[in-house]
Amino acid sequence: MHATHDPAALPAPEIAFDDFLAVDIRIGTIVAAEPFPEARKPAYKLTIDFGGTIGMKRSSAQITEHYTCAELPGLQVAAVVNFPPRQIGRFMSQVLTLGFPDADGKVVLFHPGMPVPNGGRLF
């Protein structure tokens, strides 16, 4: 999660269905979470397994308010896997892990209500 979003913001402009299809959102399982003390905003470094064709990817996620590094491994999360990698300090974030703001604007990870196969694409 790289940007702070205003929960009261107006809806985004209408887009074509093909625009939605261009964003590749996949499910993966967090296999490791580490502190990221050199990040400007509190964050963790995540390693996420997206299965066969995509494999392991890394992500910086500003999720320290609701999660500890110890509880994250094993949690399935959704991420955009086709944005270009983003350099954050000396860390290369390869995917954008998705979440929603709580009432205070703190990130709550977006994840399925039951286990699904890693690599599955959102539709």
Side-chain angles (χ1 to χ4, degrees), residues 25-30 48-50 67 72 74-79 97-100 108-123:
I25 300 172
R26 303 284 179 135
I27 197 74
T29 300
I30 298 173
I48 306 169
D49 180 3
F50 290 96
Y67 305 93
L72 288 167
L75 182 67
Q76 286 195 300
V77 293
T97 305
L98 300 176
F100 291 97
V108 176
L109 289 169
F110 181 57
H111 57 92
M114 62 181 60
V116 296
N118 285 339
R121 186 169 180 174
L122 180 74
F123 58 83

Side-chain angles (χ1 to χ4, degrees), residues 16-104:
F17 189 68
D18 285 345
D19 294 332
F20 169 73
L21 292 176
V23 181
D24 193 353
I25 300 172
R26 303 284 179 135
I27 197 74
T29 300
I30 298 173
V31 295
E34 311 165 51
F36 191 3
E38 56 274 18
R40 277 183 280 181
K41 293 183 180 179
Y44 295 139
K45 297 176 187 177
L46 305 178
T47 302
I48 306 169
D49 180 3
F50 290 96
T53 58
I54 297 170
M56 298 284 192
K57 297 291 182 182
R58 311 256 350 247
S59 181
S60 170
Q62 297 171 8
I63 57 173
T64 59
E65 292 86 1
H66 290 300
Y67 305 93
T68 65
C69 286
E71 70 186 297
L72 288 167
L75 182 67
Q76 286 195 300
V77 293
V80 176
V81 299
N82 67 331
F83 285 152
R86 182 170 177 187
Q87 189 78 40
I88 302 173
R90 294 192 317 216
F91 181 77
M92 184 63 73
S93 188
Q94 300 169 300
V95 299
L96 176 64
T97 305
L98 300 176
F100 291 97
D102 68 7
D104 297 320

